Amino acid sequence: MRSKLGKQALVILGLAFLVMIGALVWFSGQGESRHSSGNTAIKPTKQVSEKKSTSEKKSQDSALPRVSPSDWELVLVNRENITPELYPELETVDNITVDRRIAENVRNFLKAAQEVDPAFHLISGYRSVAYQKELFQSYVDQEKASDPSLSDQEAEKLVKTYSQPGGASEHQTGLAIDLSTVDALNQADKSSMEKIHKMAPDYGFVLRFQEGKTAFTGVGYEDWHFRFVGKDSARYMTDHGLTLEEYIKQLKEK
Ligand SMILES: [Zn+2]
């Protein structure tokens, strides 16, 4: 009888032990599921932070490039910024000379343009202030020859619509090129020109004298005149439709 009771007590103890083990297993399982549900709760937070970093990147893309208006490739030369001879170190590309530092970009841009149309060629690159003065005077003389009633001042005013006086042309920087399929301004096939206007920033260039921007540049539309400003600035200026004058103003206000 005593041993029977002892057996029963053992069985009860054994059962109680199993129940405890079961309870422990169940509890730890609950814990794990809480943990994994914790993981699922973390995921959306992670996605939010990923989204945030994408939008941060986007705002960085549209932010002004980290450049200075005093960087060599951003030198501003126009009729309001008359500049003396700059004597850049020159390198010949095709049949013209440019600032040695942009020769590779010019070569690559020309090559890409010739893939659009093999007729693309370089018309002009570096021109000294002295040569620009001669060039400007020769245009003034031509205007006066074709219309002898013009005064010097009237002839100069006329010439300024398509050429710059010495010291006012950015060709003296060695950072400007004229690139077209033909040797005449605004006479090239429009669709070919549009294609190279779009690809110019990939090589660090901008179309310098755009339509409707004469108020800022003082120069009318020129389909062939490209100016090297560096890839970051070229992309930003093109995306935001800015002339070099407007872009430099923004950099100075930064
Ligand atoms: Zn030009």
Side-chain angles (χ1 to χ4, degrees):
M1 188 83 181
R2 237 177 112 185
S3 72
K4 206 182 174 186
L5 268 174
K7 256 187 187 171
Q8 275 177 344
L10 268 175
V11 167
I12 286 163
L13 267 171
L15 280 172
F17 184 72
L18 281 173
V19 166
M20 264 174 69
I21 292 289
L24 273 171
V25 166
W26 178 81
F27 192 76
S28 76
Q30 278 296 101
E32 214 151 278
S33 82
R34 257 211 305 274
H35 184 67
S36 66
S37 78
N39 260 351
T40 355
I42 286 165
K43 254 191 180 168
T45 324
K46 206 182 169 194
Q47 277 166 355
V48 165
S49 79
E50 273 164 11
K51 257 185 196 164
K52 201 182 165 196
S53 73
T54 313
S55 69
E56 269 166 10
K57 193 172 180 283
K58 208 177 170 189
S59 72
Q60 263 173 9
D61 287 347
S62 62
L64 268 174
R66 288 185 185 177
V67 294
S68 160
S70 57
D71 290 345
W72 62 268
E73 67 266 44
L74 294 179
V75 60
L76 183 63
V77 178
N78 56 29
R79 289 205 291 274
E80 284 169 9
N81 293 274
I82 300 292
T83 309
E85 296 283 11
L86 291 164
Y87 305 110
E89 269 188 60
L90 299 172
E91 189 170 323
T92 303
V93 180
D94 219 15
N95 58 332
I96 61 148
T97 54
V98 292
D99 184 311
R100 177 181 58 76
R101 294 170 288 190
I102 71 159
E104 196 59 27
N105 298 72
V106 174
R107 258 191 292 273
N108 292 335
F109 185 25
L110 174 64
K111 202 176 148 206
Q114 286 172 338
E115 278 163 21
V116 172
D117 183 340
F120 271 110
H121 61 283
L122 293 161
I123 295 147
S124 190
Y126 171 73
R127 296 199 293 258
S128 69
V129 175
Y131 179 74
Q132 186 69 32
K133 267 182 193 161
E134 276 175 37
L135 194 66
F136 186 83
Q137 191 54 49
S138 76
Y139 289 139
V140 171
D141 294 344
Q142 276 174 37
E143 292 295 345
K144 286 179 76 177
S146 64
D147 183 358
S149 74
L150 289 175
S151 68
D152 280 358
Q153 233 182 354
E154 285 165 335
E156 279 176 20
K157 200 182 165 195
L158 198 61
V159 174
K160 277 178 185 170
T161 62
Y162 59 86
S163 182
Q164 302 306 311
S169 165
E170 62 179 16
H171 279 283
Q172 74 196 53
T173 64
L175 304 175
I177 53 167
D178 294 335
L179 173 64
S180 183
T181 55
V182 292
D183 289 334
L185 182 62
N186 301 341
Q187 299 298 310
D189 172 65
K190 273 195 176 138
S191 82
S192 296
M193 287 318 268
E194 269 168 26
K195 279 178 195 160
I196 74 156
H197 293 166
K198 274 187 192 147
M199 65 168 73
D202 297 339
Y203 304 92
F205 288 89
V206 290
L207 179 70
R208 182 69 171 88
F209 305 119
Q210 300 164 54
E211 256 167 330
K213 290 283 189 177
T214 309
F216 298 99
T217 61
V219 179
Y221 177 61
E222 290 197 4
D223 69 343
W224 69 12
H225 183 105
F226 297 89
R227 163 64 196 267
F228 183 85
V229 290
K231 284 180 191 175
D232 289 348
S233 295
R235 178 54 60 204
Y236 186 88
M237 287 169 68
T238 305
D239 287 352
H240 294 81
L242 297 175
T243 61
L244 187 56
E245 284 79 4
E246 293 167 285
Y247 179 57
I248 285 174
K249 192 167 175 266
Q250 282 194 12
L251 289 175
K252 284 183 176 168
E253 284 166 357
K254 189 169 68 169

